[in-house]
Amino acid sequence: MERTTVISPADVEQQLEHCRAVARLTAQWAQKPLAFVDTYGCQQNEADSERIRGYLARMGFGFTDSEEEARIIVINTCAIREHAEQRVFGNVGALVHVKRRHPDTLICLCGCMVQQPHAAQRLRESYRHVDLVFGPHALWKFPEMIRTLLTQRGRLFSVQDEAGSIAEGIPVARQDRIKAWVSIMYGCNNFCAYCVVPYVRGRERSRKPEDILAEVERLVGEGYKDITLLGQNVNSYGKDLEKPVDFAALLEAVNAIPGDFLIRFMTSHPKDATQRLFETMARCGKVAPVLHLPFQAGNDRVLQVMNRRHTRAEYLEKIQAVRALIPDIVLTSDIIVGFPGETTEEFEDTLKVLEEVRFDALFTFIYSPRAGTPAAQMDDPMPREEKLANFNRLTALQDRISEEKHAAYVGRTVRCLIDGRSDDERYDLTARTPGNRLVRINGDPSALGQFRDVSITGANKWSLFGELV
Ligand code: SAH
Ligand code: SF4
Ligand code: F3S
């Protein structure tokens, strides 16, 4: 692997020149150029798709949800679990019919999945209707690749293994007008034994604080109310910068930006979550009282084999420390059930952590072997049924806890951000508590984007229900 490269402003400007060239081309098409961008995976991928859309908009494209109408189809993929990959291959396979009906349509695959050699090879050999394949490292060159494909025949693959790059100045077309993602760093250095992310996203590299602050200032000026700072391990932000800054200092600086908005961040790695971070969170009024702190497993032997570099006791100490400073903090976590060699007895230590911490919500996963990771080589004797049974015990316990925690909101009045339209037809709108719990309410869409007092009138294990005060 090479070291991180900083893409120069001149290189990004050259990509924008490619955008203008494509825009001149598409302006001559008989039909309005439309693109379809489909995103799998995490917020990092959502943020990347907003940059792809930003570039496409500069190339003169509008957007559609129909693959039939689109002249460019981009599928931004995820590799975190087998299931994510199967869905992509299934959907890409089905696009062969679209390509047959519309041979001019460009089919592009990008993101984490295609950065894996086995996936790129499979696309090369068995999915010949796919025109362009590029990994996260090549995203900044998207306009150049599209220009090449629109002016020459053939397929293009850009999936070299790299430590990764940082590029500023790529246009962003955001999907939401209230909530915004801001990547503060890319990549991961942790190499948890089960995880593919360090292999596909490269090494940790941080954006300069001044670039991040300028972006947040701009967003607040545009009326954004909810800013999420993104990174695989935000607590190690800044370690690679010439003038090192830590994440707490960055948080403090974002908090000092004038305006009425909330700051969230994810993800924090327990080994790097410090007292200093918790104190900063407690002191900074705009930082939302919520912490997503994945612990993956409750047993120390399993944690060690996972290469998480913290023990269960250390994790619980951090939880205690943050609660001592922010008593009503909302806590969420990620858990893997069925890591290779985890016994049911060891799994029960995970249940104990749930009882002890009483998280507000969890993201729970059954272990999925990923090619090239150490865990994929480990003995994994537990039958799938037993893993499933354990998984069901875990979710049943968390459902009970979530329901109890949600019930405690009933009768309270909470200042919430009205953030969207409700998909549940009995309610008009959705709102978020400062801790990001979902509240369904009735009210006029003109309230969208406002912070309003909501009186909580009901709850179930998934969400809260309330009325505007
Ligand atoms: N950087 C974040 C997590 C990124 S991936 C962190 O360290 O917390 C999101 C979650 O997916 C992980 O926390 C983990 O719980 C889960 N995950 C990652 N690899 C997995 C695998 N191979 N099988 C099952 N779950 C996995
Ligand atoms: Fe994966 Fe671990 Fe990095 Fe998170 S910290 S992205 S789980 S390797
Ligand atoms: Fe995210 Fe999936 Fe990549 S979880 S970092 S899109 S592997």
Side-chain angles (χ1 to χ4, degrees), residues 80-81 194 232 267 294 296 308 334 336 365-366 368 370:
I80 201 81
R81 283 169 290 275
Y194 48 82
Q232 292 300 344
T267 298
Q296 314 298 356
R308 289 292 288 180
D334 292 349
I336 296 176
F365 311 101
I366 292 189
S368 167
R370 307 314 298 136

Side-chain angles (χ1 to χ4, degrees), residues 51-78:
R51 297 199 289 164
I52 291 168
R53 282 198 195 88
Y55 269 147
L56 283 164
R58 294 282 179 101
M59 292 185 242
F61 282 82
F63 297 97
T64 172
D65 287 335
S66 150
E67 291 153 345
E68 296 289 333
E69 277 177 12
R71 180 68 196 270
I72 293 185
I73 297 174
V74 182
I75 304 182
N76 192 2
T77 64
C78 171

Side-chain angles (χ1 to χ4, degrees), residues 32 47 116 157 226 273 275 278 287 340 374 411 413 417 463 466-467:
K32 177 159 172 60
Q116 306 171 103
F157 278 67
D226 186 311
Q275 183 70 16
F278 302 153
V287 175
T413 297
L417 175 63
S463 64
E467 287 160 11

Side-chain angles (χ1 to χ4, degrees), residues 127-139:
Y127 293 77
R128 302 205 54 85
H129 57 292
V130 174
D131 302 281
L132 172 62
V133 176
F134 62 98
H137 304 315
L139 187 151

Side-chain angles (χ1 to χ4, degrees), residues 188-192 194-198 232-233 269 296 308:
C188 182
N189 289 352
N190 287 316
F191 290 94
C192 301
Y194 48 82
C195 184
V196 75
V197 171
Q232 292 300 344
N233 176 15
H269 193 301
Q296 314 298 356
R308 289 292 288 180

Side-chain angles (χ1 to χ4, degrees), residues 336-353:
I336 296 176
V337 175
F339 182 77
E342 183 186 58
T343 64
T344 289
E345 208 183 339
E346 288 169 332
F347 158 75
E348 284 167 354
D349 287 339
T350 299
L351 298 181
K352 285 184 201 141
V353 174

Side-chain angles (χ1 to χ4, degrees), residues 40-45 77-80 112 196-197 200-201 232:
Y40 294 77
C42 65
Q43 290 84 352
Q44 192 66 66
N45 254 19
T77 64
C78 171
I80 201 81
C112 296
V196 75
V197 171
V200 294
R201 289 240 171 217
Q232 292 300 344

